[in-house]
Amino acid sequence: MGSKKSAAKVRHLKPKKKCCRKDVRCLRCPVVVHRLNKLDLDSMNRKKLDKAIKKARVA
């Protein structure tokens, strides 16, 4: 993935107030944080977490 944040910490980030609505959403976008909160990230391994983040960030 190449991001500076680990996949497990993305779930607990404080979302921004407004969505940027770009082609690939940022990690702090409220839409991405909401999509990741709906998933059970504790039971996923590293590879599945990376795929879940990529899927959540797709606009």
Side-chain angles (χ1 to χ4, degrees):
M1 185 174 153
S3 78
K4 295 179 184 177
K5 300 279 183 185
S6 72
K9 292 181 181 178
V10 172
R11 180 181 192 186
H12 301 293
L13 288 177
K14 182 180 177 186
K16 298 188 305 187
K17 289 192 177 221
K18 199 169 188 182
C19 179
C20 53
R21 296 187 191 137
K22 293 191 177 179
D23 291 342
V24 177
R25 297 180 188 271
C26 61
L27 291 175
R28 289 187 55 218
C29 179
V31 176
V32 173
V33 174
H34 179 70
R35 287 177 183 170
L36 290 176
N37 281 335
K38 290 200 295 187
L39 300 175
D40 184 22
L41 298 180
D42 295 332
S43 64
M44 291 185 183
N45 60 6
R46 175 80 178 186
K47 193 173 186 181
K48 287 185 180 182
L49 279 171
D50 290 341
K51 284 186 179 182
I53 289 178
K54 282 185 181 180
K55 186 177 179 183
R57 291 183 70 196
V58 173

